[in-house]
Amino acid sequence: TDQTKKITASMNYERSKALGIKKFKWVHSGRNAEPRPLHKNTLNGKIFSYDDLPVIDEKTGERGLPGKMINCSCVSVPVVEW
């Protein structure tokens, strides 16, 4: 399941970029019994640029997409700007 989430996040990223979509909204799934506070309280609902990904791990400073960390069920929702 974890690996499927990672590949899905990567495919959605590539699709969005190919369509010219530049931003996404971070959506916390609410599925995990022990959610990451950063994902739930800080990133959830915010809009980010695909060219400047947010920090997804405060300990390492790693930047990435929703669903990239181990057992992360967060998703990205493309933001279409007209």
Side-chain angles (χ1 to χ4, degrees), residues 26 37-48 54-56:
W26 187 290
L38 175 66
H39 293 202
K40 182 180 179 184
N41 303 325
T42 306
L43 301 176
N44 187 40
K46 294 200 173 135
I47 295 175
F48 300 96
V55 172
I56 59 173

Side-chain angles (χ1 to χ4, degrees), residues 4 7 9-11 18-19 22 33 36 44 46-48 50 55 57 65 72 75-76:
T4 301
I7 193 67
S10 294
M11 288 182 347
L19 292 170
K22 300 180 186 308
R36 291 178 175 91
N44 187 40
K46 294 200 173 135
I47 295 175
F48 300 96
Y50 283 117
V55 172
D57 187 345
L65 296 165
C72 178
V75 296
S76 62

Side-chain angles (χ1 to χ4, degrees), residues 1-15 65-68:
T1 302
D2 184 60
Q3 296 302 314
T4 301
K5 291 175 191 172
K6 288 179 184 180
I7 193 67
T8 300
S10 294
M11 288 182 347
N12 288 339
Y13 167 79
E14 292 299 332
R15 276 191 210 124
L65 296 165
K68 283 292 198 168

